Amino acid sequence: MSRGGGKGPSLKDKLDGNELDLSLCNLNEVPVRELAALPKATILDLSCNNLISLPSDFCSLMHLVKLDLSKNRLQQLPLDFGRLVNLQHLDLLNNRLVTLPVSFAQLKNLKWLDLKDNPLDPVLAKVAGDCLDEKQCKQAAVKVLQHMKAIQSEQDRQRQRKLQAEREMEKKREAEQRAKEAQERELRKREKAEEKERRRREYDAQKAAKQEMEKKTKKETVQTRKPASSSRPPQPPRHKHSWSRSVLRVLLFMLLCVLCTLAACKLTELQHQPLCISVNTLYEDVVAALQNHKTLQNMLQQNSQQ
């Protein structure tokens, strides 16, 4: 068979009424798009090819009533194989199938089924039985559908149990979360109450201390207003004494510095230095001035005595 645009005409050439025979065509894949364009082909024969799998869009061929996939190499059917709800006759002889998809249970119109010569799961093989005649193949269809419906029901129950368990787990988590939030709210409420109590105690302590200070101030005021039992000379302000002492200390320090400088300039080799020469000259001038001042005082005293 050719690919692309050549497929359509070749399929139409093989169409005989409502039967389309594609057996012995060495097909590696199913031409689903071309088959979908032939809705009249309700009977499809794909036997004796090299099919390993069916594409997922194969299940869109819902017009199929009879399907022959025997003598291929199919390892599995599409998961949504149950979409072929109009299928009545299905031949899967001599493939490599182990299980069937759960959706197989939806093939409610299936009347004939052949699963011989497949490495089926032992349970499924026992349910399917042999298909050596028309009666056995019809029984196989009924039993396999019942078996797959039971599996589907069990899976649905498992899903429901899983959903129920997840809902219960979610409720449990929500309850734990609510309990945790309530505990945190209670903790914050308790901490807030403790903080209020602490601030109230601090306020009471500050108020008591303030009242005590006011009482002490009033008491001292009353005591200062009482007449003194003995008159005491006014005490000079302490800051004046401290200022006088500071000035005196500075003057004494300056005098000490002058004496030390004078001694150094008189008694050491520094007396020939320019600074010491100036100091010695100044000292002699001061001494002379003092002597003149003393002489003047003596003269004044003598004049006053006369």
Side-chain angles (χ1 to χ4, degrees):
M1 293 179 65
S2 61
R3 294 182 175 274
K7 274 189 175 180
S10 63
L11 290 183
K12 288 182 179 180
D13 292 342
K14 291 178 178 292
L15 182 62
D16 183 8
N18 64 341
E19 296 183 14
L20 180 60
D21 187 1
L22 298 179
S23 62
L24 298 171
C25 291
N26 292 322
L27 292 177
N28 294 318
E29 57 183 21
V30 180
V32 177
R33 182 178 301 177
E34 290 78 6
L35 292 173
L38 299 172
K40 292 182 179 181
T42 58
I43 300 175
L44 177 62
D45 188 354
L46 290 169
S47 63
C48 301
N49 282 293
N50 299 318
L51 300 176
I52 297 177
S53 63
L54 298 177
S56 59
D57 57 352
F58 180 84
C59 303
S60 65
L61 304 176
M62 299 174 63
H63 59 277
L64 294 178
V65 175
K66 183 177 180 179
L67 177 61
D68 190 351
L69 291 167
S70 62
K71 298 179 182 178
N72 279 282
R73 293 183 293 170
L74 294 173
Q75 298 179 3
Q76 60 183 8
L77 298 178
L79 294 177
D80 55 349
F81 192 80
R83 290 176 59 193
L84 302 175
V85 292
N86 293 313
L87 201 60
Q88 299 179 15
H89 187 286
L90 178 60
D91 193 346
L92 293 169
L93 171 71
N94 193 13
N95 277 281
R96 300 177 182 178
L97 297 172
V98 177
T99 60
L100 297 175
V102 178
S103 65
F104 200 91
Q106 299 172 12
L107 301 177
K108 57 184 179 180
N109 292 315
L110 190 64
K111 309 297 182 189
W112 194 96
L113 177 64
D114 189 357
L115 286 170
K116 291 193 308 296
D117 298 332
N118 279 283
L120 295 174
D121 176 80
V123 176
L124 180 59
K126 184 177 180 180
V127 171
D130 293 327
C131 183
L132 302 176
D133 54 33
E134 190 74 12
K135 183 179 179 180
Q136 288 182 344
C137 293
K138 288 182 178 180
Q139 288 179 349
V142 174
K143 290 180 179 179
V144 169
L145 282 178
Q146 291 177 348
H147 176 68
M148 299 309 298
K149 286 180 180 179
I151 293 177
Q152 187 179 48
S153 298
E154 179 60 25
Q155 288 187 355
D156 290 341
R157 285 192 293 270
Q158 289 181 357
R159 281 195 295 269
Q160 289 296 326
R161 287 194 293 269
K162 184 178 179 180
L163 289 174
Q164 183 65 24
E166 289 177 354
R167 284 195 291 266
E168 291 178 357
M169 183 63 67
E170 183 64 24
K171 289 181 180 179
K172 184 178 179 180
R173 284 196 295 266
E174 290 177 355
E176 291 176 352
Q177 183 65 24
R178 287 194 296 270
K180 183 179 179 181
E181 291 175 354
Q183 185 177 4
E184 290 176 352
R185 286 195 300 271
E186 184 64 26
L187 179 61
R188 288 194 298 269
K189 185 178 179 181
R190 186 164 60 250
E191 290 177 349
K192 188 175 182 180
E194 292 175 354
E195 179 65 16
K196 285 183 177 180
E197 179 62 20
R198 185 185 65 80
R199 293 189 180 186
R200 186 190 64 79
R201 289 196 298 266
E202 289 180 355
Y203 174 76
D204 292 342
Q206 291 176 357
K207 186 176 180 181
K210 185 178 180 181
Q211 291 176 350
E212 184 67 23
M213 183 63 69
E214 289 176 352
K215 289 181 180 179
K216 186 176 180 181
T217 303
K218 286 183 179 179
K219 186 176 180 181
E220 292 177 352
T221 303
V222 170
Q223 288 179 352
T224 54
R225 287 180 179 177
K226 291 181 179 180
S229 58
S230 60
S231 59
R232 305 174 100 185
Q235 297 291 330
R238 292 186 176 181
H239 66 276
K240 292 185 179 181
H241 284 286
S242 61
W243 183 81
S244 300
R245 284 196 294 269
S246 299
V247 172
L248 183 58
R249 288 174 184 169
V250 171
L251 292 175
L252 290 175
F253 178 74
M254 291 176 64
L255 180 58
L256 180 61
C257 291
V258 170
L259 292 176
C260 291
T261 304
L262 184 60
C265 289
K266 284 289 186 180
L267 303 177
T268 65
E269 296 179 354
L270 296 175
Q271 58 184 340
H272 301 294
Q273 296 295 327
L275 178 61
C276 284
I277 293 172
S278 299
V279 170
N280 292 331
T281 303
L282 179 61
Y283 170 73
E284 292 174 355
D285 291 341
V286 170
V287 171
L290 290 175
Q291 290 177 351
N292 292 333
H293 181 64
K294 189 175 181 181
T295 303
L296 181 60
Q297 283 183 347
N298 292 330
M299 291 175 63
L300 292 173
Q301 287 178 1
Q302 291 177 0
N303 291 331
S304 63
Q305 290 177 0
Q306 293 176 357

